[in-house]
Amino acid sequence: MSPKPMVRPGGRSARVQESVHAAVRELVGEVGRDALTVPMVATRAGVTPSTIYRRWGDLQELLSDVAVERLRPETDPADLGSLRADLDAWAEQFLDEMASPPGRAYIRDALLGDPDGTNAGRCSAYAAEQIDAVLARAVHRGEPVPESELLIDRVVAPIMYRILFRPGRLDAAYARELVTNAVYALQIEASARPTRAAAP
Amino acid sequence: MSPKPMVRPGGRSARVQESVHAAVRELVGEVGRDALTVPMVATRAGVTPSTIYRRWGDLQELLSDVAVERLRPETDPADLGSLRADLDAWAEQFLDEMASPPGRAYIRDALLGDPDGTNAGRCSAYAAEQIDAVLARAVHRGEPVPESELLIDRVVAPIMYRILFRPGRLDAAYARELVTNAVYALQIEASARPTRAAAP
DNA sequence: GCCTAGAAGCAACAAATTCGCGTTAAGGTG
DNA sequence: CACCTTAACGCGAATTTGTTGCTTCTAGGC
């Protein structure tokens, strides 16, 4: 389906892939994402359109590819000494990047040209890896930690849902609030199950 | 941008809109969503292609339109006598509909051809309305209720996030779990703080 | 240094999209 | 109720985009 599975790792194929990706990035900056066309990208990349059609199928899958590439976090989450601080910082940065206009565009593109959900899965995996890294450090420090699934449901999901479905704005305070609630749930769980629980 | 904002409410425009929507629904069933083309829809609807291009811009925006129409809930949430029961039932049905293959397809389409987020906003509004209806009934019964924002963050968002980004399955137990946790948070809040009760 | 096969180029073709312009018919007005 | 105004539709030509069969190239294996 996605005609891109195994690009020959080296050689001409790799050069073409890189050249096409670069062309997309340049042209998005120059003429805007909406004015892009496959022939335009092909010309800039110095390849024939049929090459792009054969390898990516259509413009959307190509853009999806490029978008996922850009959504890949390039740095590990900062280590600020405590779970809470790490999560706050990570969530704020995550929200910032994802809710920014280019971030939103990348998310949309990634979902768009993705018939089988591969690219979407990759995006959620990136977030999960970052969270796992933070949790692993906390475990190493001896702190109690929540399930990473809980953090995905309570922090990542609401942010993404609002970005995709709701018009309103998102600020760092919201990210911290989500983290607070998630961690608060942890404290409850840790202290006692029944109705009454200690306040922080 | 979306050339559909003010359709002349009655008369020819309305007939064309209905005819085109119907053509899309029929053809999706007959040839499949991926084989659809604008000229094909136009022929079936008895309209010229340029009409569709002028009014919807492209196939994606048209599909987005049709998808939102289909995502509109057609019935009020059931009244089972308690907040908890109503929420459980609603969440299960919501998950069922959204996570089903056609549901996933509609969600994707709705997001896809939606440059300004109007249609996405409509989707989230549908869910919010349903939840508000459930909450309003609970308030009327004198039950303590959570903010509807909390339910959106804790129940709707995780479901939608998983549908869009994660490969795994979703079952009714997951929906109930989300509701449980959201309502559990309410109990904590209610016991730790004084207020927030009925005021219809 | 050959083979082999996947990938890219080329070119002709088919299909989709855009556009100018004349026509139709909602909805408002006197 | 006849008349106007104008958004929306139809038509067809012009342009652009997407597809396909075949050839040529080259990476990777022997």
Side-chain angles (χ1 to χ4, degrees):
Chain A
M1 187 152 293
S2 211
K4 198 217 75 182
M6 281 305 143
V7 193
R8 287 189 179 181
R12 187 165 65 159
S13 287
R15 277 198 303 280
V16 167
Q17 150 133 352
E18 177 44 35
S19 159
V20 169
H21 274 217
V24 169
R25 288 191 297 268
E26 292 169 24
L27 287 170
V28 166
E30 293 173 24
V31 307
R33 189 202 158 290
D34 293 337
L36 270 197
T37 68
V38 171
M40 192 184 296
V41 173
T43 303
R44 172 65 62 101
V47 297
T48 60
S50 61
T51 295
I52 295 184
Y53 287 121
R54 274 201 246 263
R55 234 171 94 177
W56 282 278
D58 61 12
L59 186 61
Q60 293 183 353
E61 290 190 43
L62 172 55
L63 286 174
S64 178
D65 240 41
V66 174
V68 173
E69 208 62 34
R70 294 232 143 178
L71 288 174
R72 160 181 292 154
E74 35 212 27
T75 150
D76 277 355
D79 184 345
L80 301 175
S82 77
L83 174 64
R84 177 57 201 260
D86 285 4
L87 282 180
D88 269 344
W90 179 80
E92 281 183 38
Q93 185 187 338
F94 180 77
L95 185 145
D96 263 6
E97 283 175 6
M98 294 301 186
S100 71
R104 288 170 188 257
Y106 289 136
I107 295 170
R108 277 178 45 89
D109 283 342
L111 285 176
L112 228 85
D114 189 24
D116 55 359
T118 309
N119 285 344
R122 215 167 292 171
C123 289
S124 68
Y126 291 155
E129 284 167 20
Q130 298 273 100
I131 287 182
D132 283 342
V134 167
L135 294 184
R137 275 204 307 251
V139 167
H140 188 257
R141 286 190 203 106
E143 297 183 82
V145 301
E147 299 288 326
S148 72
E149 291 290 304
L150 179 76
L151 289 171
I152 289 171
D153 281 352
R154 296 277 181 100
V155 179
V156 177
I159 289 174
M160 295 303 269
Y161 181 75
R162 287 172 119 94
I163 287 175
L164 286 170
F165 288 97
R166 308 188 65 179
R169 71 216 157 283
L170 294 172
D171 54 16
Y174 178 65
R176 280 195 303 272
E177 185 188 321
L178 290 173
V179 171
T180 301
N181 289 337
V183 172
Y184 182 60
L186 169 66
Q187 294 173 341
I188 308 264
E189 203 172 291
S191 66
R193 280 302 290 186
T195 23
R196 182 117 341 231
Chain B
M1 189 95 201
S2 213
K4 200 215 75 176
M6 282 307 145
V7 192
R8 286 187 177 183
R12 188 163 66 161
S13 288
R15 276 196 304 280
V16 168
Q17 149 133 353
E18 179 43 37
S19 159
V20 169
H21 275 218
V24 169
R25 288 192 297 267
E26 291 170 24
L27 287 169
V28 165
E30 293 173 25
V31 307
R33 190 202 158 288
D34 292 338
L36 270 196
T37 67
V38 171
M40 190 183 299
V41 173
T43 302
R44 173 65 62 102
V47 187
T48 60
S50 59
T51 294
I52 295 184
Y53 287 120
R54 275 198 246 264
R55 225 164 106 178
W56 282 277
D58 61 12
L59 186 61
Q60 291 182 353
E61 290 190 42
L62 172 56
L63 286 174
S64 177
D65 243 39
V66 174
V68 174
E69 209 61 34
R70 294 231 144 179
L71 289 174
R72 158 181 294 154
E74 36 211 29
T75 149
D76 276 357
D79 184 345
L80 301 175
S82 78
L83 174 64
R84 179 56 201 260
D86 286 3
L87 282 180
D88 269 344
W90 179 79
E92 280 184 39
Q93 184 187 340
F94 180 77
L95 185 146
D96 263 7
E97 283 174 8
M98 294 301 185
S100 71
R104 288 172 189 258
Y106 289 136
I107 294 169
R108 277 180 49 89
D109 283 342
L111 284 176
L112 234 80
D114 189 24
D116 55 2
T118 308
N119 285 344
R122 216 166 293 172
C123 290
S124 69
Y126 291 156
E129 285 167 19
Q130 298 273 98
I131 288 182
D132 283 342
V134 168
L135 293 185
R137 276 203 307 249
V139 167
H140 189 256
R141 288 189 203 105
E143 295 184 85
V145 303
E147 299 287 329
S148 73
E149 290 291 304
L150 180 76
L151 289 172
I152 289 171
D153 281 352
R154 296 275 182 100
V155 179
V156 177
I159 289 174
M160 295 302 269
Y161 181 76
R162 287 170 119 95
I163 288 175
L164 286 169
F165 288 98
R166 307 187 69 179
R169 270 195 303 302
L170 293 173
D171 55 16
Y174 178 64
R176 281 195 303 271
E177 186 189 319
L178 290 174
V179 172
T180 302
N181 288 338
V183 173
Y184 184 60
L186 170 66
Q187 294 173 342
I188 307 274
E189 198 175 296
S191 69
R193 282 190 228 166
T195 52
R196 196 80 49 114

